[in-house]
């Protein structure tokens, strides 16, 4: 079935540094969704990208969808301790629109 | 709106016991799903439903049953618990291919 690879698995940054996580697929994605999960919490929807080459921003977060719709990235500028958590990408190319999640990137922000 | 609710929050079972994890949503969403989350493996789809009376298997369905008699409820049944089913279980609902709303999760330990 559809597989979405996400890297890195872990990332430790100093507060104020930037952070990027990447999702890659061997096949074309119909769309990509991004979720954030705080420690001990549940995944919370951040954004959905649909169009080839699409770029969306939410304050310090920038989301990109590749031109070939086979990869996506989430970039956080000047991380804050509130950014701590695991970031997941998810693809809904499967039948009946169920989501296939990447393995996630766990972000730690050191004060 | 309460959103997606799950009960219980925590559960300890002995091998071979059965139990039902409850999930309910009050957003009139057609789509409901069950995921399990294990360390380093992201979220894996167990079963999903595209409407009342319709269910289908996801990536890891073995050992679990579901039913969808109403739009609001989507219980997950463990028929004979095994240690390999120790995990965090999340229920989610959505309207089609849009945002998935996750419940707070059930943490299950099988001894």
């Amino acid at each position: 079935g559809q597989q979405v690879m996400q890297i890195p698995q872990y990332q430790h940054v100093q507060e104020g540094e930037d952070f990027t996580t990447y999702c890659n697929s061997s096949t074309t994605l119909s769309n990509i969704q991004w979720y954030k999960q705080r420690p001990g919490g549940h995944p919370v929807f951040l954004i959905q990208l649909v169009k080839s080459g699409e770029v969306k921003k939410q304050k310090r977060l920038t989301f990109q969808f590749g031109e070939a719709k086979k990869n996506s990235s989430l970039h956080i500028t000047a991380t804050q301790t509130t950014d701590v958590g695991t970031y997941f990408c998810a693809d809904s190319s499967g039948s009946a629109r169920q989501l296939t999640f990447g393995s996630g990137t766990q972000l730690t922000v050191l004060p | 709106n309460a959103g997606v609710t799950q009960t219980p929050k925590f559960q300890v079972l002995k091998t071979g016991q059965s139990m039902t994890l409850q999930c309910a949503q009050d957003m009139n969403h057609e789509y409901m799903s069950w995921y399990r989350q294990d360390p380093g493996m992201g979220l894996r789809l167990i079963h999903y439903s595209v409407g009342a009376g319709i269910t289908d298997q996801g990536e890891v369905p073995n050992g679990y049953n579901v039913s969808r008699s109403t739009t609001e409820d989507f219980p997950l049944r463990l028929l004979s618990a095994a240690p390999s089913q120790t995990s965090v279980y999340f229920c989610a609902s959505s309207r089609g291919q849009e945002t998935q709303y996750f419940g707070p999760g059930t943490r299950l330990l099988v001894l």
Side-chain angles (χ1 to χ4, degrees):
Chain A
Q2 177 71 34
Q3 285 205 349
V4 179
M5 306 303 294
Q6 192 171 352
I7 56 170
Q9 188 173 359
Y10 302 98
Q11 184 79 61
H12 292 202
V13 300
Q14 207 71 36
E15 189 173 16
E17 292 181 337
D18 292 355
F19 159 76
T20 306
T21 174
Y22 302 89
C23 272
N24 297 291
S25 171
S26 58
T27 59
T28 302
L29 305 169
S30 60
N31 63 60
I32 196 97
Q33 297 182 7
W34 284 93
Y35 291 78
K36 176 184 178 180
Q37 184 178 22
R38 294 183 185 274
H42 58 276
V44 174
F45 176 83
L46 293 176
I47 209 159
Q48 176 170 279
L49 305 174
V50 178
K51 300 178 182 177
S52 167
E54 190 170 14
V55 178
K56 288 187 176 180
K57 293 189 175 183
Q58 290 179 351
K59 297 183 180 179
R60 295 178 293 103
L61 277 62
T62 302
F63 304 84
Q64 292 189 331
F65 204 4
E67 292 290 342
K69 299 184 74 174
K70 289 186 176 182
N71 57 74
S72 181
S73 66
L74 158 59
H75 180 82
I76 302 178
T77 303
T79 54
Q80 301 175 358
T81 54
T82 53
D83 295 325
V84 165
T86 301
Y87 293 85
F88 293 97
C89 60
D91 163 56
S92 61
S93 301
S95 61
R97 303 186 181 94
Q98 73 270 24
L99 289 180
T100 300
F101 281 81
S103 55
T105 296
Q106 186 176 321
L107 173 64
T108 300
V109 179
L110 305 171
Chain B
N1 286 354
V4 180
T5 57
Q6 290 183 240
T7 57
K9 291 185 178 180
F10 303 95
Q11 184 72 49
V12 179
L13 291 178
K14 295 181 180 178
T15 297
Q17 287 185 316
S18 63
M19 79 160 294
T20 300
L21 279 65
Q22 301 292 344
C23 174
Q25 54 94 7
D26 61 0
M27 297 174 282
N28 200 32
H29 285 167
E30 305 157 351
Y31 288 73
M32 295 187 75
S33 306
W34 275 102
Y35 297 87
R36 61 176 288 174
Q37 185 173 34
D38 303 295
M41 299 190 71
L43 293 122
R44 292 184 292 168
L45 183 66
I46 305 172
H47 285 284
Y48 64 97
S49 170
V50 299
I54 306 170
T55 64
D56 207 345
Q57 297 181 350
E59 180 185 354
V60 289
N62 292 342
Y64 308 94
N65 276 358
V66 292
S67 60
R68 185 96 179 269
S69 56
T70 67
T71 300
E72 294 78 18
D73 300 298
F74 191 41
L76 178 73
R77 297 183 189 84
L78 281 69
L79 306 175
S80 178
S84 61
Q85 293 179 304
T86 292
S87 189
V88 181
Y89 292 85
F90 289 102
C91 177
S93 73
S94 65
R95 185 175 291 115
Q97 210 169 358
E98 300 170 3
T99 305
Q100 290 228 350
Y101 294 87
F102 284 83
T106 294
R107 284 154 179 76
L108 176 66
L109 173 62
V110 182
L111 302 174

